[in-house]
Amino acid sequence: MSTVGRRAKKDPNFFNRLADHENTFTARTFDEVMRWCSDNWPAGKQMPFGLMRWMADTGHQPETLSL
């Protein structure tokens, strides 16, 4: 989780802090992390329903790599 936190938010302790229910985060941070997850989800692997729903609700289309 520290690697994902570092890559998504440049903060290796991001998800550890979220585990503490006294910590909060903004809607902007939520969208940034969801966008990063969407754009970096491994090809051929099933996305979690929550991520797919966020994409449908926001209209976000994952970035594709141009070769």
Side-chain angles (χ1 to χ4, degrees), residues 4 7-9 15 27-41 47 50-52 54-55 58-64:
V4 175
R7 291 181 180 176
K9 286 298 295 168
F15 290 105
R28 180 180 292 180
T29 296
F30 177 80
D31 285 341
E32 289 172 357
V33 171
M34 295 297 274
R35 186 175 298 110
W36 184 88
C37 289
S38 169
D39 291 345
N40 292 281
W41 199 260
M47 283 186 175
L51 181 56
M52 292 187 303
W54 175 86
M55 290 170 58
T58 63
H60 179 72
Q61 296 293 317
E63 293 180 7
T64 56

